[in-house]
């Protein structure tokens, strides 16, 4: 018995979860937690950190005291850490520079990078021919390669550099070559004949007389940047060969790829634009780089990160380079600044989420407006770039990031970040056009290989990873193809475990499926679920429930067994140790300490029985939930009788329903109305799952391992003059047998037996409804259908594209939650199969629904309502439709949300596409729409109903449809799962018995104890507890949820266009009004589907919500 495993209330899972969340939020001084609780490190972490610190400090001290004397001799003893670093660096890299390298051969096969320094424009022309054969190839070669270009870069910015200069002298001259010396020395030792040039505080000194056969180094404007050049070239080849050339001829042997990655130097294509024909002067441009902190870091990661910072100097993990919107006439690409390190300690700001660093650029005054920034992450781990703000004089330009920058170790290509201002492809500034195309190419991939976690490749694939062909009970069909059409998913490229059919490996149990890096949950969301929800659900909770209740896989025997789930606790013993991220003996030791004790599970009382424990028994509540429950999207107007099936009569029997005119007329009479009147006044409605389910009924009912029983149901409702929707009659069908049509009709009885039969029939309708809701309306029509839109948006629309920017908030977390669902929810043997009636045929059912009913143009709310006959077209109405039942809460509130989205989208689209022809000529947009139809929804590509995309009106309708699905539609379908389904009898997801008939063995038991017969048909205690855990998890708003009503805050930051900001502000204001209107409706006593004794109001489309299981709130995207 369940109560045998219940103990006194202690720490509840809920408390743990909320505690984990509030720990981060609550930093008030009045908080009552101990200091130790508030300290960011645990005792173990603190001890290890101190140990590492002591070892490191001792090592540093030893290095210091054993350091050789500075060879320069003129340097004072180091007085600070920066002096020490400087001395160490100079000793290591510069002192030994002395080289002679005559190079006559045109190409010696050396692939090392070359640095070409300008020839002297003032040189004597007569001498040129004489020296060309020598000087063209004269080179300076370092004795050894630089090992750490970042060190050098940092050196140039160190205060100590102000005391030093780089001296260059000719050591030896001759026609066979020259040798030079390069040495650092104190500026105070400058000689009278020295000429010194400074560049960004770095001084280079050389005797004025130095003139290498007419090539004057010190007078060349290019020369001061030599150290910088060395630095950049080293990053490519790790060996530098500097060629001093007198000839005005480019010698650039870099391939195109390298050219894009680094500054290219040649005499004809100088390092900087201002080195060309005339020197225009320079200006300083500041960059503020915001890096997002990691909220949770494993101890090993934290220590490694700190060590890396210490070794590389704080903040020196990133190089950034500005790219101008203007074209550099020499390269044909945008002008580029130098790659510049992000420097210094993070600035102290009142921003708990971000660290701030700065960088300074010196660019020519005519550099132009920066349009893109190239970012290279030199650290060994990824960095989350929040944004970069460029301050150019009085101009402030925002470069939104919100993106993970991979380590250069993982991929040598840097990232391109565009400025925030959206622009159509045809308006792209010339200087960044090439980068716009390059960035898009980089996310498309080549359709090959196993995707790595750091990648951001978006590609398509079929659902071939749900089953495992190697295990007999886990074989599942591939979804996506002519037999089983389905929307495409994001390709992950894992190895195949079978070639025929080609099924992808599912990896290890805890291995997550690939999603592009920026699609992954952020720390707060991940942390929320790691603490207690998704992680618990997928890895701990369900197995723990199974372990705790393994001997209790028995039916509920009385209703009080169910009630106990909300009053008492279930003891959960961890089935496996929690992973601390530490391996080996040490990890096992820590794991052992952390994995002590038990956790307890307790459920909240679901909203549907909170105020009225018996509401679920009533017919009007059954009808109300068809209009205002968690699945209000299948009810339709009944237009004629008898109802006809579209299934093949040879297989599925007579097409006419057993719900005849006679049966319905008799029931309608109870309301004082004839059947004709009821039709005329549009009072008859239908919930029809017959055709969708009947093809699966036999297969489902034959399941042996995990038995469940079902029918294909049809329910006819009557909408009374009092405003209540009541079920009139239910038809439950089994596939026909030779002597029986197997169509059973039930009506509300007036005696005890028919009364209980009616209850069982309603339970079977609910079971049908729960399966279709989860697999079709929730998973297929929101989650799965949205995935191709997201993939296409990333592959075909630049991050600069206005449509990308509009859709971006509505794509958040969807790929990740879908990947997690493929891993643990909808997979073969997963939670959905085990808890819902269709069992192993769940996804086949979903595919059949996609094949038979899904069409893009009917997914918008008004079109869907008209298709179902629940609304009529009416141009005088705001959304162009008039509801047949005014008190249809989902539709009435949904239309308010739909209208607000439509208004926003129309204004936005008109703003960016003022020219009517610009839609057709926007090649990115056209490619996006083509790909959605022809790749993302490949199996439907030839359908005639796909909307055209030629006008602003077309685009507005398409985008409104998508945003509605991601926000309002998903919220209405998703967040009521626990409030309505958390009480198993109200909405059984699975039934284990058919309704007994007089000759059945079960009938006697039914007559003797109908309550037990009802309860024993429901899911077992174990199954019910599992499904409650799933529904509660899927109904949860995480702490970092982003809501539609806050879109203005979300979007305002990325638009510097006041007009666009106004659209978002207006949208938020509209939603505030919507909220008020819904609250008002929920208090209107005339609206019987919203108000009544003990009845919960309809809140699923209220825009706002706190986090948790609230049964309200519209997030921007499908995030759970
Ligand atoms: Fe969902």
């Amino acid at each position: 018995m369940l109560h045998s495993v219940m103990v006194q209330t202690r720490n509840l899972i809920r408390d743990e979860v909320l505690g984990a969340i509030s720990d981060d939020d609550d930093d008030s001084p009045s908080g009552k937690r101990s200091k130790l609780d508030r300290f960011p490190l645990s005792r173990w972490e603190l001890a290890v950190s101190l140990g590492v610190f002591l070892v490191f400090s001792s090592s540093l001290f030893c290095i210091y005291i054993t350091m050789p004397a500075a060879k320069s001799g003129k340097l004072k003893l180091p007085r600070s850490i920066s002096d020490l670093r400087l001395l160490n660096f100079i000793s290591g890299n510069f002192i030994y520079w002395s080289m002679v390298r005559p190079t006559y051969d045109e190409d010696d096969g050396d692939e090392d990078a070359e640095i070409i320094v300008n020839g002297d424009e003032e040189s004597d022309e007569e001498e040129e021919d004489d020296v060309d054969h020598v000087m063209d190839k004269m080179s300076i070669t370092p004795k050894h390669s630089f090992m750490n270009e970042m060190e050098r870069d940092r050196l140039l910015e160190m205060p100590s550099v102000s005391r030093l200069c780089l001296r260059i002298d000719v050591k030896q001259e001759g026609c066979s070559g020259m040798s030079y010396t390069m040495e650092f020395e104190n500026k105070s030792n400058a000689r009278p004949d020295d000429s010194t040039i400074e560049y960004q505080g770095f001084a280079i000194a050389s005797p004025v007389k130095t003139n290498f056969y007419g090539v004057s180094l010190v007078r060349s404007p290019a020369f001061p940047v030599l150290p910088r050049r060395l630095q950049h070239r080293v990053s490519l080849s790790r060996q530098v060969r500097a060629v001093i050339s007198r000839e005005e001829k480019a010698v650039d042997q870099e391939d195109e790829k390298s050219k894009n990655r680094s500054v290219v130097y040649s005499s004809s294509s100088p390092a900087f634009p201002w080195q060309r024909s005339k020197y225009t002067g320079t200006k300083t441009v500041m960059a503020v780089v915001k890096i997002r902190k990691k909220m949770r870091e494993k101890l090993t990661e934290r220590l490694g990160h700190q060590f890396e910072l210490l070794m590389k100097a704080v903040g020196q993990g990133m190089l950034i380079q500005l790219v101008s919107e203007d074209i550099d006439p020499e390269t044909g690409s945008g002008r580029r600044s130098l790659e510049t390190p992000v420097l210094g300690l993070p600035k102290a700001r009142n921003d708990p989420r971000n660290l701030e660093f700065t960088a300074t650029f010196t660019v020519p005054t005519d550099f132009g407006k920066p349009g893109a920034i190239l970012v290279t992450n030199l650290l060994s781990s990824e960095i989350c770039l929040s944004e970069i703000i460029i301050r150019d004089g009085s101009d402030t330009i925002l470069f939104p990031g919100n993106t993970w920058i991979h380590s250069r170790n993982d991929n040598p290509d840097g990232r391109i970040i565009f400025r925030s201002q959206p622009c159509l492809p045809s308006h792209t500034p010339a200087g960044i056009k090439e980068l716009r195309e390059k960035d898009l190419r980089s996310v498309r991939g080549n359709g090959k290989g196993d995707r790595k976690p750091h990648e951001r490749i978006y590609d398509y694939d079929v659902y071939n990873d749900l089953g495992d062909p190697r295990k007999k009970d886990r074989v599942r069909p591939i979804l996506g193809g002519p037999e089983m059409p389905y929307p495409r998913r994001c390709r992950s490229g894992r190895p195949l475990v079978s070639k025929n059919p080609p099924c992808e490996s599912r990896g290890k149990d805890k291995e997550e499926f690939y999603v592009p890096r920026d699609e992954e949950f952020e720390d707060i969301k991940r942390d929320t679920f790691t603490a207690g929800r998704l992680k618990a659900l997928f890895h701990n909770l369900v197995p723990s429930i199974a372990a705790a209740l393994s001997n209790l896989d028995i039916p509920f025997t009385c209703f009080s067994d169910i009630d106990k789930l909300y009053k008492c606790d279930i003891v959960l013993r961890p089935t496996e140790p929690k992973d601390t991220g530490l391996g080996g003996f040490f990890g096992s030791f820590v794991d052992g300490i952390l994995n002590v004790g038990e956790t307890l599970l307790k459920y909240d009382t679901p909203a549907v029985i909170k105020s009225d424990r018996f509401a679920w028994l009533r017919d009007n509540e059954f009808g109300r939930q068809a209009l205002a429950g968690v699945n209000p999207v299948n009810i339709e107007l009944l237009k004629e009788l008898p109802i006809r099936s579209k299934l093949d009569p040879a297989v599925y029997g007579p097409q006419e329903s057993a719900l005849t005119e006679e049966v319905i007329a008799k029931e309608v009479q109870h309301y004082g109305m004839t059947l004709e009147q009821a039709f005329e006044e549009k009072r008859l409605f239908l919930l029809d799952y017959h055709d969708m389910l009947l093809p699966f009924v036999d297969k489902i009912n034959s399941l042996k391992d995990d038995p469940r029983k079902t029918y294909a149901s049809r329910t006819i409702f009557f909408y009374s003059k009092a405003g209540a929707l009541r079920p009139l009659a239910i038809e439950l069908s089994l596939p026909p047998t030779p002597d029986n049509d197997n169509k059973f009709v039930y009506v509300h009885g007036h005696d005890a037996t028919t009364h209980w039969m009616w209850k069982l029939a309603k339970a079977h309708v609910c079971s049908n409804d729960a399966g279709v809701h989860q697999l079709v309306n929730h998973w297929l029509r929101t989650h799965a259908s949205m995935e191709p839109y997201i993939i296409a948006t990333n592959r075909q629309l630049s991050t600069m594209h206005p449509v990308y920017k509009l859709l971006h908030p509505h794509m958040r977390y969807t790929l990740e939650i879908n990947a997690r669902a493929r891993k643990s929810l909808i997979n073969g043997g997963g939670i959905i199969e085990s808890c819902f009636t269709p069992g192993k045929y769940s996804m086949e059912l979903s595919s059949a629904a996609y094949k038979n009913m899904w069409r893009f143009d009917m997914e918008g709310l008004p079109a869907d309502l008209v298709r179902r006959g629940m609304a009529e077209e009416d141009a005088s109405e705001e959304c162009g439709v008039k509801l047949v039942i005014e008190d249809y809460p989902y539709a009435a509130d949904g239309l308010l949300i739909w209208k607000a989205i439509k208004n926003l989208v129309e204004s936005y689209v008109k703003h960016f596409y003022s020219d009517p022809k610009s839609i057709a000529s926007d090649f990115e947009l056209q490619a996006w729409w083509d790909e959605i139809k022809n790749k993302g929804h490949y199996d439907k590509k030839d359908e005639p109903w796909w909307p055209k995309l030629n006008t602003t009106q077309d685009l507005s309708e398409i985008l409104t449809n998508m945003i509605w699905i991601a926000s309002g539609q998903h919220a209405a379908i998703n967040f009521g799962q626990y409030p309505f389904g958390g009480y198993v009898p109200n909405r059984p997801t699975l039934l284990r018995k058919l309704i007994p008939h007089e000759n059945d063995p079960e009938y006697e038991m039914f007559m003797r104890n109908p309550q037990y017969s009802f309860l024993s048909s429901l899911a077992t205690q174990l199954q019910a507890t599992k499904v409650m855990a799933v529904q509660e998890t899927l109904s949860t708003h995480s702490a970092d949820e982003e809501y539609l009503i806050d879109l203005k805050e979300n979007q305002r930051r990325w638009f510097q266009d006041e007009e666009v900001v106004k659209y978002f502000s207006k949208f938020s204001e509209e939603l505030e009004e919507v909220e008020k209107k819904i609250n008002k409706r929920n208090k209107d006593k005339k609206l019987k589907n919203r108000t009544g004794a003990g009845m919960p109001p309809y809140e699923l489309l209220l825009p706002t919500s706190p986090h948790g299981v609230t049964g309200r709130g519209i997030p921007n995207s499908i995030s759970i």
Side-chain angles (χ1 to χ4, degrees):
M1 296 294 287
L2 187 62
H3 62 265
S4 65
V5 294
M6 294 169 183
V7 297
Q8 287 186 331
T9 304
R10 283 193 280 158
N11 299 324
L12 307 181
I13 273 192
R14 172 168 308 286
D15 294 336
E16 283 183 10
V17 174
L18 297 179
I21 297 164
S22 61
D23 279 353
D24 298 312
D25 296 334
D26 182 15
D27 55 357
S28 67
S30 60
K32 290 183 180 177
R33 283 169 287 139
S34 70
K35 284 182 183 176
L36 192 60
D37 287 342
R38 288 199 297 269
F39 194 71
L41 296 177
S42 69
R43 286 194 184 94
W44 280 104
E45 291 176 345
L46 184 64
V48 173
S49 303
L50 284 173
V52 170
F53 177 75
L54 285 173
V55 170
F56 188 79
S57 306
S58 309
S59 305
L60 200 63
F61 182 69
C62 291
I63 291 169
Y64 179 76
I65 60 173
T66 56
M67 198 126 174
K71 203 168 178 179
S72 65
K74 291 166 186 168
L75 284 172
K76 292 177 182 176
L77 274 174
R79 290 172 300 180
S80 63
I81 291 292
S82 61
D83 278 358
L84 182 67
R85 283 184 181 145
L86 181 63
L87 186 59
N88 189 33
F89 175 75
I90 291 170
S91 301
N93 292 298
F94 287 91
I95 292 300
Y96 306 106
W97 275 49
S98 176
M99 56 237 90
V100 176
R101 172 99 191 252
T103 53
Y104 292 97
D105 51 326
E106 194 69 29
D107 181 3
D108 60 6
D110 188 345
E111 292 177 354
D112 292 339
E114 293 184 343
I115 298 177
I116 313 301
V117 180
N118 273 356
D120 180 10
E121 292 171 359
E122 299 170 8
S123 62
D124 185 347
E125 290 294 321
E126 287 181 9
E127 290 180 2
E128 276 190 26
D129 292 337
D130 296 335
V131 299
D132 268 357
H133 67 285
V134 174
M135 294 311 303
D136 283 354
K137 310 301 174 191
M138 194 67 72
S139 65
I140 300 171
T141 308
K143 205 164 186 175
H144 65 89
S145 61
F146 291 110
M147 296 307 293
N148 186 343
E149 63 274 21
M150 279 300 294
E151 275 295 293
R152 181 172 41 262
D153 201 19
R154 182 176 53 77
L155 168 79
L156 296 175
E157 303 294 340
M158 291 171 77
S160 312
V161 169
S162 62
R163 303 201 306 272
L164 300 175
C165 65
L166 176 68
R167 165 166 295 286
I168 300 182
D169 273 324
V170 176
K171 189 175 178 182
Q172 181 186 325
E173 299 178 14
C175 57
S176 61
M178 297 192 304
S179 69
Y180 312 95
T181 59
M182 296 174 74
E183 220 171 348
F184 283 98
E185 71 174 13
N186 202 311
K187 280 181 189 171
S188 61
N189 296 317
R191 300 165 198 166
D193 60 343
D194 275 353
S195 173
T196 304
I197 291 178
E198 286 203 8
Y199 175 69
Q200 290 190 349
F202 192 89
I204 297 178
S206 183
V208 171
K209 65 178 182 183
T210 302
N211 186 308
F212 309 122
Y213 292 90
V215 181
S216 172
L217 289 173
V218 293
R219 288 178 189 165
S220 165
F223 188 71
V225 300
L226 179 60
R228 287 282 184 173
R229 295 178 162 202
L230 295 179
Q231 160 200 333
H232 292 295
R233 284 304 184 179
V234 166
S235 70
L236 294 175
S237 66
R238 298 217 172 259
Q239 186 174 7
V240 173
R241 184 156 47 97
V243 177
I244 299 177
S245 170
R246 183 167 175 262
E247 193 178 62
E248 296 281 332
K249 189 165 71 179
V251 186
D252 181 17
Q253 297 175 352
E254 283 292 311
D255 61 19
E256 191 62 25
K257 192 175 176 186
S258 299
K259 184 179 170 185
N260 288 334
R261 270 195 289 116
S262 65
V263 185
V264 176
Y265 310 98
S266 72
S267 53
S268 62
S269 176
F272 303 101
W274 64 92
Q275 284 175 236
R276 291 193 208 98
S277 55
K278 60 179 184 180
Y279 180 68
T280 58
T282 62
K283 62 179 179 179
T284 299
V285 176
M286 289 290 296
V288 177
V289 180
K290 292 189 179 179
I291 305 292
R292 191 176 306 152
K293 291 179 196 169
K294 265 195 171 181
M295 198 174 113
R296 294 266 183 261
E297 223 172 8
K298 288 179 182 172
L299 176 60
T300 45
E301 282 179 350
R302 198 179 306 170
L303 290 175
H305 187 60
Q306 295 302 325
F307 185 74
E308 190 166 23
L309 281 180
L310 201 58
M311 294 306 287
K312 290 194 169 179
V314 177
Q316 295 228 10
M318 185 187 281
L319 289 174
I320 60 176
Q321 184 180 22
L322 301 182
V323 182
S324 168
E325 291 183 349
D326 296 345
I327 282 280
D328 181 339
E330 296 294 332
T331 63
S333 303
R335 288 180 170 181
R336 297 188 182 197
S337 73
L338 287 170
E339 279 187 300
T340 302
V342 176
L343 292 171
L345 288 163
K347 299 286 181 292
R349 294 279 186 276
N350 188 23
D351 182 353
R353 294 195 69 191
N354 292 304
L355 296 170
E356 244 181 60
F357 300 91
T358 55
T360 306
F361 296 90
T362 300
V363 294
T365 49
D366 62 350
F367 182 73
K369 192 172 183 178
I373 298 178
L374 309 183
V375 180
T376 305
N377 172 12
L378 302 172
L379 297 176
S380 59
S381 58
E382 61 185 2
I383 294 173
C384 186
L385 175 69
S386 288
E387 62 187 25
I388 301 175
I389 298 165
I390 296 294
R391 299 213 168 93
D392 181 3
S394 58
D395 286 348
T396 299
I397 309 166
L398 177 67
F399 290 76
N402 199 23
T403 183
W404 288 91
I405 309 289
H406 57 258
S407 163
R408 193 173 57 172
N409 299 347
D410 292 325
N411 178 357
D413 287 340
R415 285 286 307 280
I416 305 164
I417 308 294
F418 294 102
R419 67 182 168 85
S420 65
Q421 190 59 31
C423 79
L424 297 175
S426 56
H427 299 163
T428 313
I432 56 173
K433 205 172 245 180
E434 192 182 314
L435 291 179
R436 181 171 181 149
E437 290 162 13
K438 185 182 174 189
D439 192 44
L440 277 174
R441 283 196 303 273
S442 74
V443 299
R444 288 179 196 146
N446 60 6
K448 295 176 185 169
D450 190 357
R451 297 272 67 90
K452 304 290 183 297
H454 67 268
E455 293 179 337
R456 53 192 282 267
I457 304 291
Y458 295 78
D459 207 347
Y460 302 94
D461 209 341
V462 293
Y463 280 69
N464 63 349
D465 60 351
L466 298 179
D468 187 342
R470 298 168 302 178
K471 298 176 185 170
K472 196 178 169 188
D473 62 332
R474 292 291 160 84
V475 177
R476 297 292 182 274
I478 293 172
L479 302 188
E483 293 297 313
M484 300 256 176
Y486 218 61
R488 296 301 185 260
R489 65 167 172 97
C490 183
R491 181 182 178 279
S492 49
R494 293 187 306 279
L496 298 180
V497 288
S498 81
K499 285 190 177 171
N500 192 20
C503 292
E504 231 174 55
S505 148
R506 293 186 50 75
K508 293 175 185 167
D509 276 353
K510 286 191 176 181
E511 212 171 85
E512 290 174 5
F513 286 176
Y514 163 84
V515 291
R517 183 62 183 91
D518 286 343
E519 305 295 337
E520 287 184 21
F521 288 167
E522 290 175 28
D523 281 347
I524 295 175
K525 175 107 176 172
R526 189 176 287 272
D527 191 67
T528 300
F529 290 120
T530 300
R533 291 198 181 277
L534 264 193
K535 167 113 183 267
L537 172 68
F538 292 155
H539 297 307
N540 291 335
L541 185 56
V542 169
S544 297
I545 292 170
L549 301 177
S550 57
N551 295 324
L552 298 166
D553 197 8
I554 55 175
F556 294 104
T557 52
C558 57
F559 284 101
S560 57
D561 277 351
I562 302 172
D563 295 342
K564 280 174 188 167
L565 292 172
Y566 316 111
K567 291 176 183 167
C568 306
D569 312 306
I570 300 171
V571 184
L572 302 178
R573 293 173 184 84
T575 53
E576 53 190 325
K578 292 173 188 171
D579 181 17
T580 56
L582 298 169
F585 170 76
F586 182 62
S588 305
F589 182 62
V590 176
D591 286 348
I593 293 171
L594 294 179
N595 287 290
V596 294
E598 302 160 333
T599 51
L600 303 176
L601 172 67
K602 184 183 175 185
Y603 291 105
D604 273 348
T605 305
V608 70
I609 57 161
K610 209 166 220 168
S611 304
D612 181 356
R613 199 167 149 259
F614 304 106
W616 65 278
L617 287 165
R618 288 195 295 269
D619 280 358
N620 59 349
E621 179 61 19
F622 180 85
R624 188 185 81 88
Q625 288 185 25
L627 297 171
V630 68
N631 188 38
V633 295
N634 285 104
I635 186 90
E636 59 184 297
L637 181 72
L638 179 63
K639 293 175 182 163
E640 60 177 2
L641 283 172
I643 304 158
R644 288 177 191 280
S645 165
K646 290 178 183 153
L647 297 175
D648 181 358
V651 180
Y652 299 104
Q655 291 180 311
E656 289 77 21
S657 164
L659 296 172
T660 58
E661 288 189 10
E662 188 186 356
V663 172
I664 303 305
K666 193 176 167 188
E667 294 302 313
V668 168
Q669 273 178 7
H670 297 310
Y671 297 94
M673 201 172 275
T674 64
L675 191 59
E676 290 71 29
Q677 282 175 312
F679 273 120
E680 198 175 318
E681 293 180 20
K682 296 186 175 166
R683 293 190 174 277
L684 293 173
F685 295 88
L686 173 68
L687 197 57
D688 190 350
Y689 296 126
H690 181 276
D691 286 7
M692 200 183 290
L693 288 172
L694 193 59
F696 294 93
V697 167
D698 257 354
K699 292 195 276 189
I700 293 168
N701 290 345
S702 305
L703 288 171
K704 291 204 166 48
D705 291 344
D706 197 2
R708 68 270 320 265
K709 301 293 176 192
T710 193
Y711 300 93
S713 70
R714 284 188 178 114
T715 309
I716 293 180
F717 296 84
F718 180 80
Y719 188 62
S720 73
K721 286 182 179 172
L725 190 69
R726 298 175 68 92
L728 287 183
I730 294 170
E731 176 198 64
L732 298 178
S733 301
L734 297 171
T737 49
D739 55 349
N740 198 332
D741 285 349
N742 283 334
K743 295 180 191 295
F744 309 102
V745 172
Y746 299 87
V747 294
H748 189 117
H750 298 285
D751 59 75
T753 305
T754 51
H755 178 79
W756 274 105
M757 288 285 183
W758 177 243
K759 274 190 177 48
L760 284 169
K762 283 199 295 180
H764 275 283
V765 173
C766 288
S767 163
N768 276 191
D769 191 73
V772 172
H773 162 261
Q774 193 64 269
L775 295 162
V776 179
N777 299 325
H778 181 209
W779 173 258
L780 167 68
R781 295 176 67 189
T782 64
H783 284 256
S785 296
M786 194 72 199
E787 187 151 341
Y789 310 155
I790 297 170
I791 300 170
T793 303
N794 282 281
R795 283 168 58 88
Q796 297 298 341
L797 300 180
S798 163
T799 55
M800 303 177 75
H801 199 288
V803 170
Y804 176 94
K805 287 184 181 289
L806 179 69
L807 288 178
H808 186 261
H810 308 292
M811 306 189 289
R812 184 174 184 245
Y813 290 159
T814 306
L815 294 192
E816 167 95 15
I817 194 67
N818 285 3
R820 286 178 181 237
R822 294 203 318 276
K823 181 79 184 176
S824 305
L825 277 177
I826 60 168
N827 57 306
I831 294 168
I832 297 294
E833 284 192 1
S834 81
C835 295
F836 286 79
T837 299
K840 65 184 283 190
Y841 304 103
S842 292
M843 292 307 286
E844 286 184 45
L845 174 70
S846 189
S847 168
Y850 180 67
K851 184 178 188 175
N852 297 324
M853 65 158 290
W854 189 88
R855 43 185 289 179
F856 182 88
D857 61 331
M858 292 291 152
E859 291 300 290
L861 179 59
D864 178 51
L865 291 171
V866 170
R867 171 168 69 168
R868 291 188 282 122
M870 299 303 289
E872 293 167 344
E873 289 182 353
D874 184 342
S876 67
E877 294 288 323
E878 270 196 328
C879 292
V881 295
K882 183 173 173 50
L883 292 176
V884 171
I885 297 178
E886 203 180 313
D887 182 19
Y888 181 5
Y890 156 78
D893 295 356
L895 286 173
L896 297 177
I897 306 292
W898 171 273
K899 184 71 175 67
I901 296 171
K902 189 164 182 273
N903 289 344
L904 169 71
V905 171
E906 282 179 350
S907 311
Y908 186 92
V909 166
K910 275 180 193 157
H911 180 80
F912 288 101
Y913 292 93
S914 49
D915 175 1
K917 293 177 185 166
S918 52
I919 295 278
S921 64
D922 183 340
F923 58 87
E924 281 187 13
L925 188 73
Q926 294 298 331
W928 167 76
W929 186 233
D930 280 349
E931 196 163 285
I932 286 173
K933 293 181 291 181
N934 296 318
K935 285 192 173 177
H937 286 275
Y938 178 84
D939 302 326
K940 294 269 186 181
K941 68 183 169 61
D942 297 323
E943 296 287 353
W945 40 253
W946 283 105
K948 299 273 182 280
L949 180 50
N950 296 322
T951 64
T952 52
Q953 182 64 22
D954 295 340
L955 180 59
S956 297
E957 283 175 12
I958 289 167
L959 293 174
T960 303
N961 186 327
M962 290 177 179
I963 295 173
W964 159 253
I965 294 293
S967 58
Q969 177 73 354
H970 179 259
I973 296 292
N974 186 78
F975 292 101
Q977 292 189 72
Y978 187 76
F980 287 97
Y983 187 65
V984 175
N986 178 60
R987 193 171 171 75
T989 58
L990 177 152
L991 287 170
R992 298 183 300 131
K993 292 180 182 175
L994 295 176
I995 299 175
H997 295 283
E998 283 191 36
N999 298 325
D1000 294 341
E1002 285 274 328
Y1003 192 74
E1004 192 186 332
M1005 165 65 81
F1006 166 72
M1007 293 299 285
R1008 205 168 54 238
N1009 189 347
Q1011 178 178 298
Y1012 178 78
S1013 195
F1014 178 86
L1015 287 169
S1016 62
S1017 295
L1018 300 178
T1020 64
Q1021 293 189 22
L1022 174 59
Q1023 287 170 325
T1025 315
K1026 276 188 201 176
V1027 81
M1028 285 164 68
V1030 175
Q1031 288 177 329
E1032 193 194 33
T1033 302
L1034 298 183
S1035 304
T1036 304
H1037 291 291
S1038 77
D1040 70 340
E1041 195 85 276
E1042 291 180 358
Y1043 295 94
L1044 204 58
I1045 199 167
D1046 299 324
L1047 202 57
K1048 69 172 180 191
E1049 303 304 330
N1050 192 303
Q1051 292 281 39
R1052 174 184 285 159
R1053 186 132 187 79
W1054 314 124
F1055 290 94
Q1056 291 175 321
D1057 183 334
E1058 279 306 312
E1059 190 64 22
V1060 177
V1061 172
K1062 260 190 231 167
Y1063 301 148
F1064 288 108
S1065 298
K1066 187 163 174 270
F1067 176 66
S1068 293
E1069 285 163 17
E1070 271 188 71
L1071 289 189
E1072 283 168 20
E1073 287 305 310
V1074 167
E1075 176 134 341
K1076 286 179 194 163
K1077 209 175 242 183
I1078 294 175
N1079 281 329
K1080 195 174 168 192
R1081 284 175 177 174
N1082 283 337
K1083 289 175 186 160
D1084 186 344
K1085 290 179 183 169
K1086 291 197 295 286
L1087 302 177
K1088 305 293 183 192
N1089 292 313
R1090 294 174 183 267
T1091 57
M1095 186 188 292
Y1098 185 74
E1099 294 184 328
L1100 287 169
L1101 284 169
L1102 273 178
T1104 64
S1105 171
H1107 64 256
V1109 182
T1110 61
R1112 58 180 288 174
I1114 306 176
N1116 284 327
S1117 63
I1118 299 168
S1119 60
I1120 185 66

